[in-house]
Amino acid sequence: MERGGLSRRYTDRPDPVGRHCDRIGALGGNREPCSPGMSQWTSDVIRMFAGAASEYRDISGSAALTSEQLLASVAFKSRLHGSQNPRAMLSRAPKSADDLLKAPLLSPPIRVSFCAPVATGAAAVVMATESWWSNRRLPVTELVDQELVSDFSDTFSDTNSGGYSSLCGLTQARVASSRIYHRQRLNPKEQLALVELHDCFASNELMLYEALGLADKGFAQQYFSSGRWIDSLNGDGSLYLTGRQVVNPSGGLMSKGHPLGASGVAQCAEMSWQHRGLAGRRQVPALDETDSNRWALQHNFGLGSSCAVTLYRRYGSAALERGQGAKL
């Protein structure tokens, strides 16, 4: 990964996100650089997600999502989680959410402190069949279901009322997750204990609460604000519980950094550590409780576009002893 913001590297071929960036202008958005010296590509991405937040406000009638104080609280939660993750790039939490409001404003409502930092990193997983595992009996987690969704035909259509939502993958997240819930007969609000989602911006985490079915439409702010801090499983860490879920106990991209291609695999690794009881100070308690609370959901998104939603569960529960899925 290059230092600073991202830029277009290969000029001898079509830009895979060029059409998305051009769509900002068609939607009436500003394509001026967000700050002096910032690359056009980085600026376009920031304005795209800022536009999605404003679009959400206009469609839902809720101004809370574009409240900088709310976004600072979400970012602060992520940074506190990240302070308990030895692999996080930003491992020191700010003293308060108000400290994050001092960062420069890029494109309302997004400040520098509400953005996931670019990072260099690597991640890997080992996948195996049940027959391979049965001869070794290693602690594993089960990859139960996965859905991959790309851009829809109306993503670039002028008749699409949710233009920014589709550009930023919110529509794709909604479709992908709902397909998994339907196949598995799963109630996300009641049965998910852990969610690792693609928080490239604090505002995107809030909007994904709704897209992934954790909060009802228009209630992302209430979902987050109703949360409370709880002890981690070993009592040596703190986790923010919203509803019945802990979202991004790893600290998310906001704390770990965002090495693009490695980000999704790192989420998968976090799921494995959590289900195997290896997450240390950020170990989610509910994953050690009743069978119905062992579900974990991963969401990852990349412009151009690819949205992957994956469902995990601790291996060995009655529902999974039929040998479905892959072992991690």
Side-chain angles (χ1 to χ4, degrees):
M1 298 290 288
E2 61 196 66
R3 288 184 176 274
L6 301 176
S7 62
R8 186 178 177 186
R9 299 293 297 275
Y10 305 102
T11 58
D12 62 334
R13 67 202 72 180
D15 186 345
V17 298
R19 193 178 181 189
H20 296 71
C21 294
D22 292 341
R23 184 72 181 140
I24 298 174
L27 292 170
N30 181 1
R31 294 196 65 186
E32 293 295 319
C34 292
S35 64
M38 180 177 286
S39 71
Q40 185 65 55
W41 198 93
T42 299
S43 184
D44 281 342
V45 172
I46 292 171
R47 292 197 183 280
M48 197 181 301
F49 281 89
S54 297
E55 182 179 87
Y56 171 94
R57 175 197 63 206
D58 296 340
I59 293 176
S60 68
S62 172
L65 193 87
T66 52
S67 161
E68 290 188 30
Q69 187 65 56
L70 176 60
L71 297 182
S73 296
V74 173
F76 181 67
K77 177 270 299 181
S78 298
R79 294 289 301 280
L80 280 178
H81 281 177
S83 68
Q84 301 168 145
N85 185 353
R87 296 175 179 86
M89 186 176 79
L90 301 181
S91 58
R92 181 177 297 177
K95 293 181 179 180
S96 69
D98 289 341
D99 288 344
L100 300 176
L101 293 170
K102 301 173 184 177
L105 182 67
L106 297 174
S107 181
I110 294 177
R111 292 184 176 273
V112 171
S113 53
F114 304 161
C115 307
V118 174
T120 292
V125 297
V126 175
M127 301 182 68
T129 63
E130 185 175 31
S131 60
W132 182 94
W133 174 84
S134 62
N135 294 324
R136 293 164 177 81
R137 297 289 170 174
L138 301 172
V140 291
T141 187
E142 183 107 1
L143 193 159
V144 182
D145 203 345
Q146 186 175 65
E147 187 75 24
L148 178 66
V149 175
S150 187
D151 293 311
F152 298 106
S153 58
D154 68 346
T155 298
F156 308 100
S157 171
D158 291 335
T159 61
N160 183 359
S161 60
Y164 282 109
S165 296
S166 292
L167 285 180
C168 296
L170 297 169
T171 304
Q172 293 89 324
R174 183 176 298 108
V175 171
S177 59
S178 63
R179 288 175 179 173
I180 287 179
Y181 301 151
H182 177 74
R183 286 196 295 263
Q184 300 298 328
R185 300 178 182 177
L186 180 69
N187 182 336
K189 296 177 184 177
E190 297 296 326
Q191 293 177 274
L192 290 179
L194 164 64
V195 177
E196 281 282 328
L197 53 79
H198 188 96
D199 59 330
C200 49
F201 300 94
S203 55
N204 204 49
E205 175 169 336
L206 280 164
M207 291 183 287
L208 282 168
Y209 291 160
E210 297 180 22
L212 296 175
L214 308 179
D216 292 333
K217 187 176 181 179
F219 284 86
Q221 184 270 335
Q222 290 89 332
Y223 171 79
F224 176 78
S225 298
S226 64
R228 59 188 176 89
W229 289 96
I230 63 171
D231 291 335
S232 63
L233 181 62
N234 299 322
D236 55 354
S238 296
L239 297 167
Y240 193 71
L241 182 69
T242 43
R244 296 195 175 188
Q245 297 82 41
V246 175
V247 178
N248 288 359
S250 67
L253 308 183
M254 293 289 295
S255 294
K256 292 186 299 181
H258 190 7
L260 298 193
S263 297
V265 185
Q267 291 175 321
C268 178
E270 178 70 18
M271 296 299 184
S272 179
W273 290 324
Q274 288 283 351
H275 278 114
R276 292 159 60 197
L278 302 176
R281 296 177 60 201
R282 62 188 189 282
Q283 184 68 52
V284 176
L287 292 174
D288 196 48
E289 294 178 358
T290 62
D291 185 71
S292 63
N293 283 333
R294 290 176 183 161
W295 298 96
L297 193 78
Q298 172 199 355
H299 161 270
N300 192 38
F301 175 71
L303 284 170
S305 282
S306 174
C307 174
V309 177
T310 310
L311 186 67
Y312 302 83
R313 204 172 188 181
R314 187 170 64 182
Y315 183 66
S317 61
L320 296 175
E321 288 177 352
R322 297 187 302 273
Q324 300 175 352
K327 313 302 177 291
L328 300 177

